[in-house]
Amino acid sequence: MGQSGSRWTSRGLGAGLVLVLVLGSAATALLIRDRGDQADWLLVGLGALIGGIVGLAVRVVTRTRAGRPDDGGELPPDRSMVPPASPRDDRPADGEVGIIPIGGVIASSPVDGWEFRRFEGLEPRPEEEDFRGFRIWGRRYPPLLGRVAIVSLFVGRDGKSWSIDELVKAHRALRRAGAWIEREAIRWQVPVNLDLVDCYFSTVEADADREVAIFRPDEWGDVGLPDPDAEQRILGILGRSAGLLGFRDPVDLLGRVGRRIEADQIVWLLHVRRAGKSIALPSDATGIPGVAVAVCYAREEDFEAPMAGPPFADPITFVHELMHLFGASDKYDVSLSSFPRGTVSERDIMVLGIEALSRLQVDPLTAVEVGWAASPSDRPGGPNRPLRSPPERGRPPSSQKKRPRRP
């Protein structure tokens, strides 16, 4: 980016100087011919002034394009991060969740034989600069297509970090969530492949007691409590974590890591070791195209609160928030009769009417929202594939914990 910026700035200065000479000379020659020698020096000055103004304007424009705006304007996109109009990876879904590396990452393995490592840093690259945010305008939510990489940031709260056992269970639930999405992609016959990044990020916050907005439930009827501070809360968690991990700010963390992941789109999941209301932040709000963020609390509650038990890694919550990041809207607490017939059922993942992931699905209206269908009248044409996962080791299926009900 540095070489490109110098080239554009040099062109701007050159163009400005040329315009100064051309316009100044032309104006002087014309006016001297028409009015005589009395106004020679006045006309020379006028011509030079006009040329200088035009040259300065050209320089400002080219400096802005160079990524050094004179007036606080937007920086140009890092072309390596801008999602293409169609996914580069158009392989059909296979129902299997793979593992994808981060290039030049320094990481350690907390458990021998476990395929996931803990992030410790990035190997320096000579030409790499700090990532600075920018926004692109267009569709607010990208379609859920192509190769999607999932990066996990585990945030310990109240001075307590995620244990190795909790990390293993969370990754197991993530794989189940990814396999479910690919199963549904097979039904809808769309190219989607989800991969988990081979290392996870981990931080711990000592004191998590912060103010939250409180509303009277009767003011909002049956639509659920609002969350006006959702974006600020996510960026606050990201900001504190970025500093602990050695990055300048959230955009620097997401952008520099994102450059090193080969994927069409990148999703960050913030696993917060507290009770709270899981929320999603699409890519246009992060300031980085193709990078979206969701917060998944260890227990679902209306407001953030200390844990009253061990964390519960819920694949349904993971899927639900992932679908939000690609445009799917909530459809619970709303009568199904309010939707066009045949477009939404109690089995839809955004309705959450059933608490068994294997029985949930992507219905036509949600398929339209995530870019899998053109019209709510479309129907999936692919085969139904069962979703199976082994029970937790050492525990019979009947003793496994049920997912906490969503508020």
Side-chain angles (χ1 to χ4, degrees):
M1 294 176 66
Q3 293 178 352
S4 176
S6 299
R7 182 172 64 251
W8 277 108
T9 303
S10 299
R11 289 179 180 175
L13 290 172
L17 292 174
V18 170
L19 284 171
V20 167
L21 295 174
V22 171
L23 291 178
S25 300
T28 301
L30 289 174
L31 291 176
I32 288 176
R33 183 189 65 184
D34 293 340
R35 300 185 182 180
D37 295 336
Q38 296 179 351
D40 284 1
W41 293 106
L42 176 63
L43 297 177
V44 169
L46 179 61
L49 177 63
I50 295 172
I53 293 173
V54 176
L56 179 61
V58 172
R59 184 186 177 196
V60 169
V61 171
T62 53
R63 278 175 61 89
T64 303
R65 296 186 67 177
R68 294 189 296 273
D70 289 10
D71 58 355
E74 299 286 356
L75 295 171
D78 179 341
R79 302 308 302 176
S80 66
M81 295 290 293
V82 177
S86 59
R88 303 181 185 93
D89 190 333
D90 58 358
R91 293 172 299 150
D94 57 12
E96 300 290 334
V97 177
I99 298 178
I100 186 172
I102 300 177
V105 71
I106 303 171
S108 61
S109 178
V111 179
D112 290 339
W114 195 40
E115 59 266 56
F116 296 97
R117 302 173 298 155
R118 182 178 58 250
F119 173 86
E120 293 184 353
L122 293 176
E123 295 177 354
R125 290 181 173 176
E127 298 181 357
E128 184 175 56
E129 303 173 356
D130 288 345
F131 195 95
R132 301 184 64 185
F134 60 89
R135 297 181 188 273
I136 57 172
W137 305 109
R139 177 174 175 173
R140 176 172 169 79
Y141 301 98
L144 179 50
L145 297 172
R147 191 178 196 184
V148 180
I150 299 176
V151 189
S152 286
L153 168 56
F154 291 89
V155 182
R157 297 300 274 270
D158 304 311
K160 186 173 180 60
S161 63
W162 289 76
S163 70
I164 295 300
D165 183 60
E166 293 165 355
L167 291 171
V168 171
K169 289 179 179 178
H171 280 84
R172 186 181 304 157
L174 278 171
R175 274 185 158 158
R176 183 170 170 80
W180 183 93
I181 292 176
E182 290 207 21
R183 181 199 72 168
E184 289 301 292
I186 292 171
R187 285 183 61 236
W188 283 96
Q189 298 182 305
V190 290
V192 180
N193 282 276
L194 272 77
D195 292 321
L196 304 184
V197 169
D198 66 348
C199 77
Y200 62 89
F201 296 71
S202 180
T203 62
V204 181
E205 295 187 352
D207 183 5
D209 291 328
R210 298 179 179 86
E211 294 182 357
V212 295
I214 301 296
F215 296 86
R216 291 178 54 191
D218 58 347
E219 293 178 352
W220 299 89
D222 296 327
V223 299
L225 295 175
D227 191 0
D229 301 323
E231 180 173 333
Q232 291 80 358
R233 184 145 46 95
I234 293 178
L235 294 178
I237 294 171
L238 270 175
R240 295 187 295 272
S241 296
L244 292 171
L245 292 167
F247 294 87
R248 189 188 62 211
D249 53 33
V251 173
D252 188 36
L253 167 63
L254 273 60
R256 287 178 61 194
V257 173
R259 284 176 176 155
R260 299 172 181 236
I261 300 174
E262 294 294 331
D264 288 302
Q265 301 184 81
I266 302 168
V267 168
W268 283 71
L269 293 185
L270 276 59
H271 308 261
V272 180
R273 203 180 187 282
R274 259 202 163 201
K277 192 170 186 178
S278 298
I279 46 181
L281 192 67
S283 62
D284 76 326
T286 67
I288 306 176
V291 179
V293 179
V295 170
C296 296
Y297 282 89
R299 292 275 172 175
E300 285 292 326
E301 298 290 346
D302 268 329
F303 300 106
E304 187 176 304
M307 290 289 295
F312 180 77
D314 180 13
I316 295 181
T317 296
F318 294 157
V319 173
H320 187 89
E321 297 305 328
L322 283 169
M323 300 296 281
H324 270 314
L325 293 176
F326 294 95
S329 60
D330 282 324
K331 300 175 180 66
Y332 54 80
D333 293 333
V334 179
S335 172
L336 295 181
S337 62
S338 63
F339 299 104
R341 184 179 179 131
T343 62
V344 180
S345 71
E346 67 172 1
R347 295 183 61 186
D348 187 82
I349 184 63
M350 307 311 293
V351 173
L352 297 174
I354 297 174
E355 299 201 8
L357 183 60
S358 60
R359 295 182 58 200
L360 294 174
Q361 64 188 26
V362 174
D363 282 336
L365 185 55
T366 298
V368 171
E369 292 173 335
V370 298
W372 288 5
S375 167
S377 62
D378 293 344
R379 295 294 180 267
N384 287 312
R385 293 185 55 173
L387 179 70
R388 297 188 180 94
S389 64
E392 293 183 28
R393 294 181 180 178
R395 303 182 64 189
S398 60
S399 67
Q400 294 182 39
K401 299 174 186 176
K402 294 183 178 179
R403 71 182 295 272
R405 286 188 173 271
R406 196 176 186 85

